[in-house]
Every structure is written in C-alpha cells, then in structure tokens.
Amino acid sequence: RYWRDWSSDVCSSDLALPSSVYALSMAKPVNAVLTADRACTIWQNLTLASGTLDAQGFLLQNATTATVGSRAFTLGGDAILRVGAANGFADASTGTVRGFGVYNLDERSTVEFYGTNQSIEPIPTGSGYGNLIVSNGGIKTVWGALLVRGNLSVQSGSSRSEEHTSELQSRQYLV
C-alpha cells in the first residue's frame, strides 16, 4: 500500500503521486486539494475516502488485466474527483480512472468534469454518480443512460449535448 500524509495541496517534483504503486488510498481533510502532476499506475485498489483529488488530464489506471474484476475504485462520500483535459471518467480509451473491475461511488461523492469537450459516460458497473458537476466551458457529451444519485450541476460557461443519451436521470436536483 502507498499512504502518504501530503502536507502540501499541490504535488511537486519532490512531493508527488508515484508513477506506479501497489494500492493507493487518500484521506485528506474535506476542503484540502491534492493536484496530480503525473499519471499513476495502480496494481490493486484506488480509494479516495475524503478530500479532493484533481487528476487534471492524468490517468489513474489499474494495470492488472488478468484479474481486473477484483480491483476496485472507491470514491467516498466526503471525496471529490476532478477530471480535466478531454478525459472522461472510466472509458477504456479516454477515461481518467481506467481498468478497475468495480467502481464504487458513494451517493454523497462528487465527480467534476472541468475540461474541454469531454464525454460523460455511465459508470461501468452501473452504480451511477453521486453528485456530478459540469464546469469551465467546452461541450460535455453524455453517452448512454446516465444515473446521478445526487445533484447534477451544469455551471455557467458549460453546455451539454444529450443527443447520444437514451436517458438522463437525477434522483435529486438538476442545477
């Protein structure tokens, strides 16, 4: 396991996500932000319990293809994952969080898409997003049936394209 008490909010060359790690867990104070400065290959589970991980345009990828079904990505109720650049969430070719067999997103968790021209696809294991924020301009295209179990917020400067979706469902509020 890789566990680090990051005292800085931004990773630099001397304080950064590793390029490869067995398992990664993050539990930061709720308002703290860790900004990735490189891709990270994870051989087991990735758990974001609390705080914000800004992945920017970097990959958080599971490298174990033989037993991928047992590898899990977990986003806790006090955690925020920010996805930038042109990346999606878990898509095999454009996803920020790729290659996990199980995706557990707490209904109070938040995923924010703040890049340009991003695809927002359903969670591969069907659990749906907790809260979903679309921000910072660009076109966000929803592919397939999308379940948001919390709030969906499309902030100013962003537009959404739903031409490829068969269903957009939010169990709370569309903002």
Side-chain angles (χ1 to χ4, degrees), residues 107 109 120 127-133 145-153 168-174:
E107 64 185 29
S109 68
I120 303 174
S127 66
Y129 291 92
N131 298 298
L132 183 62
I133 299 172
L146 189 67
L147 173 62
V148 179
R149 295 174 294 154
N151 298 324
L152 171 62
S153 176
L168 176 62
Q169 180 181 27
S170 176
R171 293 192 181 158
Q172 293 294 321
Y173 301 101
L174 299 175

Side-chain angles (χ1 to χ4, degrees), residues 6 21 40 52 99 121 164:
W6 284 285
V21 66
C40 183
T52 300
E121 67 278 345
H164 300 288

Side-chain angles (χ1 to χ4, degrees), residues 73 75 89 103-107 109 111 123 127-130 149:
F73 168 77
L75 190 62
F89 181 76
Y103 291 83
N104 299 310
L105 281 74
D106 187 280
E107 64 185 29
S109 68
V111 176
I123 303 300
S127 66
Y129 291 92
R149 295 174 294 154

Side-chain angles (χ1 to χ4, degrees), residues 44-130:
Q44 288 287 319
N45 300 323
L46 171 58
T47 302
L48 307 176
S50 59
T52 300
L53 175 59
D54 185 349
Q56 299 190 85
F58 296 104
L59 301 179
L60 304 170
Q61 180 171 355
N62 186 280
T64 312
T65 57
T67 57
V68 73
S70 63
R71 309 302 185 237
F73 168 77
T74 301
L75 190 62
D78 292 326
I80 299 170
L81 176 66
R82 298 188 74 225
V83 179
N87 288 0
F89 181 76
D91 182 76
S93 61
T94 64
T96 292
V97 183
R98 297 183 199 173
F100 293 90
V102 177
Y103 291 83
N104 299 310
L105 281 74
D106 187 280
E107 64 185 29
R108 296 174 300 125
S109 68
T110 300
V111 176
E112 178 182 3
F113 289 91
Y114 71 95
T116 57
N117 302 326
Q118 291 175 290
S119 293
I120 303 174
E121 67 278 345
I123 303 300
T125 53
S127 66
Y129 291 92

